[in-house]
Amino acid sequence: MPQVPQTFFDALAVRTWCGLALRALGRAREEIDAINVYPVADGDTGTNLYLTMESAVTAVEAVFAGHGTVTEQKPLLADAAGAMAHGALIGARGNSGTILAQLLRGMAQVLAADGETAHTDGEGLRLALRHAADSARQAVAHPVEGTVLSVASAAADAADDTQGDCGTVARAAYDGACAALAATPGQLAVLERAGVVDAGGRGLVAVLAALVETFTREAPAFGGHARVEAVLAAGAPDAAVCEDGPEALQEGGPAYEVIYLLEADDSAVTRLRDRLDALGDSLVVVGGDGLWNVHVHVDDAGAAVEAGVEAGRPYRIRITHFGLGDVHTTGAERPPRERAQRAVVAVVPGEGLAGLYGEAGATTVLARPGEPPASGELVAAVRRAHAREVVLLPNDADLRHTAAAAAEQARAEGIRVALIPTRSAVQGIAALAVHEPERRFDEDVVSMTSAAGATRYAEVAVAERQSWTMAGICQAGDVLGLVDGDVAVIGADVTATARAVLDRMLAAGGELVTLVLGDEAPESVADVLEVHVRESYLAVDTVVYRGGRQGALLLIGVE
């Protein structure tokens, strides 16, 4: 990505800034994870910030790619800033990532205020930083000083006192943030006891350093504050930090982190805030215009999700249990969690399949239609599996490069990873069915790969637009039957199309048919297909699963 000095803040500056910020967070991720002790010492703040920014970068790049195919003109500032904010919102991870998403949204609201403006100056950037800090603070139910909120406010205060171009304002904000970061241990006792600065604030400093580099082409030397440099040189806190060991930093907090996107109106979200605030802590609700990202720590994860259902439509729900060795569930007597010898990590297209894979012991990454997981998310899942050996199932042909990149990164961290190129969730089910952790790793991988390769896969979906296919021209609304990724049948009825697809697949033989029904599939389709297989194909068994909101109406596997 070009690093051209920018006199004004325009769409290219947004793109450059996001790319540089992602690179900076990637370099600092492990360092930030290591000093993460507040609000939960779960060592993932750097990773969450990286994944949030990665989602913002993807959205901005999509805007530029779209303009490149339609017009020679680059996007307007409002286009790029809006994409940055939306991408961060839908991809926000954890407490820190959710706050970062609101900071970017707050900036975008000022930068995009005049939708026809091509750029803004130092004064516009100053106003954007101020609104970002204020809106992030308002999004947190109970703001705490000594956190990223303090660092953001200090950056905005420093910018307020500065006149000049964007580079001058960005540099002032960065210097103010560094000074505030150095002061965080004196504001928050848990940081003082651990001998660290706030991890989220450290991440914001990296993002602001990227902003300075965007406008000056020079990356500022980090810190200049002896306290910050000493902390980062020391690395992660250990048992010597406090008298009773690291577990004494925080005890007795809620057991679950719950995060979801929510489609709801403002009045419903106001009621939701009150309800979630009564259920737990670390409540952050960011967003607007009908789309929100909700983050909370609770003991009753189901109640937190139910509150979202009452407010609107929650989706992309993530529930994380703060496990053994975590400060939220342990006293000093509990041992740290040992690494498992082997684990399976799988990408799945719906909540139903996530439950099925989870019951089989797999760590899952939920993929929504049009929202494929990034490599960083897959790496985070591999780390979350906490195993020495990991089998990775992408379950989508389009994810092969993403999964390969994730596997390489995990291997660089000392984890033995085998990537099985599954192209459908039904192939992943077949692989998981023969998984035996007690076998030698290579033997287990060969067996799983063989089972996946012996499973033909198909899906039934509805065409979104007119297009050419291997089976002819389809119209929007037609029912498509895809076998091994290619359209083989075009029909008007879901059940009839599914039966035709199944006959094509079973013509080559088979012993087991797997059907995975999406939420929008007709209720009767599974029964009809089961009867058809039983009456037409001897010695062929059928198993049916519910996939939830998986995109396709029906997934079919034949082994």
Side-chain angles (χ1 to χ4, degrees):
M1 184 172 297
Q3 299 183 33
V4 180
Q6 300 282 318
T7 305
F8 296 104
F9 207 155
D10 59 5
L12 181 59
V14 172
R15 184 189 198 188
T16 303
W17 177 35
C18 287
L20 291 172
L22 181 64
R23 192 179 310 164
L25 289 171
R27 290 194 298 265
R29 180 187 60 75
E30 291 184 1
E31 167 199 305
I32 297 170
D33 283 345
I35 63 171
N36 170 205
V37 299
Y38 183 87
V40 182
D42 47 359
D44 64 358
T45 289
T47 299
N48 288 336
L49 289 169
Y50 180 87
L51 293 174
T52 302
M53 183 56 71
E54 185 178 45
S55 184
V57 168
T58 300
V60 172
E61 290 299 324
V63 166
F64 272 83
H67 274 70
T69 59
V70 176
T71 174
E72 294 300 320
Q73 295 182 345
K74 66 182 179 182
L76 292 172
L77 175 59
D79 299 328
M84 171 186 71
H86 182 72
L89 177 67
I90 65 173
R93 301 288 192 277
N95 186 76
S96 55
T98 307
I99 293 174
L100 175 60
Q102 186 65 10
L103 287 166
L104 296 179
R105 177 180 172 81
M107 290 192 69
Q109 286 175 324
V110 173
L111 297 174
D114 184 348
E116 299 303 316
T117 298
H119 56 75
T120 192
D121 55 12
E123 174 67 7
L125 176 56
R126 183 184 67 77
L127 294 173
L129 290 167
R130 177 81 271 161
H131 186 62
D134 292 346
S135 62
R137 189 170 288 269
Q138 292 166 6
V140 177
H142 302 285
V144 175
E145 297 308 322
T147 66
V148 63
L149 298 177
S150 301
V151 176
S153 293
D157 291 342
D160 283 341
D161 295 334
T162 303
Q163 300 295 323
D165 61 15
C166 287
T168 303
V169 172
R171 182 70 205 212
Y174 170 78
D175 289 340
C178 285
L181 180 63
T184 56
Q187 296 174 288
L188 199 54
V190 66
L191 302 178
E192 186 71 42
R193 291 197 298 270
V196 298
V197 293
D198 180 67
R202 169 65 182 96
L204 180 57
V205 165
V207 172
L208 291 174
L211 187 64
V212 175
E213 186 176 358
T214 298
F215 295 113
T216 67
R217 196 187 285 185
E218 296 179 357
F222 178 71
H225 296 276
R227 177 63 182 271
V228 175
E229 292 169 352
V231 164
L232 297 179
D238 55 28
V241 166
C242 54
E243 194 173 301
D244 299 317
E247 291 84 2
L249 294 174
Q250 251 181 311
E251 293 183 11
Y256 296 94
E257 177 185 60
V258 179
I259 305 174
Y260 50 80
L261 291 178
L262 177 71
E263 293 178 355
D265 58 37
D266 291 1
S267 60
V269 170
T270 299
R271 295 190 297 271
L272 175 66
R273 289 178 193 269
D274 293 338
R275 180 163 179 192
L276 293 179
D277 194 25
L279 286 175
D281 61 28
S282 297
L283 174 61
V284 186
V285 181
V286 305
D289 301 321
L291 180 63
W292 308 82
N293 191 305
V294 179
H295 170 281
V296 67
H297 295 171
V298 293
D299 280 321
D300 190 343
V305 175
E306 288 172 7
V309 173
E310 291 179 6
R313 187 178 80 87
Y315 61 103
R316 291 187 71 173
I317 300 167
R318 294 181 179 86
I319 299 174
T320 303
H321 182 262
F322 297 121
L324 288 176
D326 188 273
V327 293
H328 265 235
T329 59
T330 72
E333 74 279 2
R334 294 204 185 187
R337 183 162 66 103
E338 290 291 333
R339 280 189 179 272
Q341 180 60 34
R342 190 173 308 158
V344 176
V345 173
V347 180
V348 292
E351 297 91 342
L353 283 175
L356 174 66
Y357 273 73
E359 289 173 4
T363 297
T364 60
V365 177
L366 193 61
R368 293 289 184 192
E371 299 175 6
S375 61
E377 192 169 356
L378 298 187
V379 173
V382 170
R383 296 191 191 107
R384 193 167 69 247
H386 204 60
R388 299 180 182 88
E389 302 167 340
V390 172
V391 179
L392 181 57
L393 307 175
N395 291 340
D396 186 336
D398 292 336
L399 285 178
R400 61 188 184 280
H401 297 306
T402 301
E408 282 302 314
Q409 184 172 340
R411 290 179 189 122
E413 296 176 9
I415 304 170
R416 189 178 184 189
V417 181
L419 172 61
I420 297 179
T422 49
R423 294 172 289 175
S424 169
V426 292
Q427 289 189 320
I429 291 172
L432 201 55
V434 300
H435 169 54
E436 291 186 14
E438 296 78 18
R439 275 193 299 221
R440 290 179 56 250
F441 185 62
D442 291 339
E443 292 176 356
D444 197 30
V445 170
V446 168
S447 179
M448 295 176 72
T449 302
S450 177
T455 302
R456 284 160 286 155
Y457 66 96
E459 68 177 64
V460 177
V462 176
E464 296 181 356
R465 64 185 66 86
Q466 183 188 61
S467 61
W468 291 87
T469 76
M470 296 288 289
I473 300 175
C474 72
Q475 305 296 326
D478 283 348
V479 181
L480 306 180
L482 295 87
V483 178
D484 293 337
D486 292 323
V487 176
V489 180
I490 300 174
D493 177 75
V494 174
T495 302
T497 302
R499 187 165 53 226
V501 168
L502 196 51
D503 286 338
R504 280 177 177 249
M505 298 177 76
L506 287 172
E511 299 176 353
L512 176 66
V513 172
T514 300
L515 304 176
V516 183
L517 273 68
D519 278 350
E520 297 181 0
E523 286 293 326
S524 62
V525 65
D527 292 338
V528 172
L529 294 179
E530 280 190 283
V531 170
H532 179 63
V533 171
R534 185 167 60 249
E535 293 179 347
S536 304
Y537 301 94
L538 296 177
V540 177
D541 294 324
T542 304
V543 60
V544 180
Y545 301 111
R546 294 280 175 177
R549 295 191 296 271
Q550 63 184 21
L553 298 174
L554 178 68
L555 300 178
I556 303 173
V558 173
E559 302 175 47

